Amino acid sequence: MKNMVKAAALSLACLITTSVSANQVGLSVKLADESARIGMLSETEWMQEIYRFEAGFEYNENKDYLVDTSILYTNKGTFDPNLDVGFRAKAALATLDEMNETTYGAMLGIYARYWLPTPVPSALVGEYLNSPQIITFGDGESLEEYSLRGQIQLLRNLNGFVGYRYFSIKSEVAEYDMEDGWHVGVELSF
């Protein structure tokens, strides 16, 4: 639990320092059948580039916890005017209560968002992140995450999304799915 508190404090400190120069700062909430996540974000847009920093805390019904911070670099419209592509780096710390294991690592991956031609801004978003054994520490051997979601702008500063997310922790003894299912959520920006 001490590691969780330290990771959460570090994530919050990083978020506060990046939000000073951000175009927008916000909160996000995601609910699934067996898990929930609350997060904070700051986003800076410059020319055709978007820099987004996120920090979040997730828990599930098995009393497992995940604290993560990530930075996303996105380039808008390079290949197609409606397509944004980018790279994400994420530091994650997971504590599995049932197995009494703690795993942490640096996850690296790709990001894509395709803006749909609709009257209200909406998009399809896909992500894949992986932390191989060389950059995974603690009791686990690797971390893997992928997600696909649809998002729509509900109000000027409120986005809603529905999607599927898979987050897995592999160790020597077993593979544990911290999340594997559908979710809904909102993102409020200031």
Side-chain angles (χ1 to χ4, degrees):
M1 189 63 172
K2 288 181 185 178
N3 288 338
M4 282 294 183
V5 173
K6 289 178 185 177
L10 180 62
S11 297
L12 189 57
C14 291
L15 183 67
I16 290 169
T17 57
T18 60
S19 65
V20 172
S21 63
N23 296 82
Q24 70 180 26
V25 177
L27 296 171
S28 66
V29 176
K30 178 180 70 84
L31 299 172
D33 186 38
E34 299 175 352
S35 67
R37 182 178 195 280
I38 185 165
M40 299 173 66
L41 62 101
S42 66
E43 187 171 285
T44 303
E45 189 170 341
W46 189 74
M47 304 281 279
Q48 286 190 285
E49 299 173 340
I50 298 173
Y51 300 91
R52 181 180 175 113
F53 183 84
E54 292 185 49
F57 175 75
E58 181 175 347
Y59 62 94
N60 65 16
E61 67 180 5
N62 296 328
K63 299 182 183 173
D64 303 321
Y65 300 97
L66 173 68
V67 175
D68 61 51
T69 61
S70 67
I71 187 160
L72 170 68
Y73 165 79
T74 306
N75 196 311
K76 301 185 326 181
T78 300
F79 304 108
D80 182 291
N82 292 349
L83 180 64
D84 303 343
V85 293
F87 300 98
R88 184 184 295 272
K90 178 187 281 193
L93 171 67
T95 299
L96 306 178
D97 186 58
E98 185 178 300
M99 301 170 74
N100 197 23
E101 292 185 351
T102 300
T103 302
Y104 52 98
M107 302 177 76
L108 304 171
I110 56 173
Y111 170 91
R113 175 172 54 194
Y114 185 78
W115 292 100
L116 300 171
T118 56
V120 176
S122 56
L124 295 175
V125 180
E127 260 186 298
Y128 177 77
L129 295 156
N130 190 8
S131 176
Q133 188 171 2
I134 192 73
I135 53 176
T136 304
F137 307 97
D139 299 315
E141 291 188 340
S142 68
L143 301 168
E144 183 180 33
E145 175 184 1
Y146 57 84
S147 65
L148 182 64
R149 72 176 182 267
Q151 68 181 41
I152 187 166
Q153 185 174 350
L154 302 171
L155 298 171
R156 185 182 59 79
N157 61 342
L158 181 67
N159 288 322
F161 55 88
V162 175
Y164 176 83
R165 180 172 179 249
Y166 174 79
F167 190 94
S168 172
I169 301 164
K170 295 178 186 166
S171 66
E172 288 183 10
V173 271
E175 180 176 341
Y176 182 77
D177 297 339
M178 186 157 180
E179 185 178 347
D180 184 9
W182 295 93
H183 62 265
V184 296
V186 292
E187 188 175 283
L188 176 66
S189 58
F190 309 107

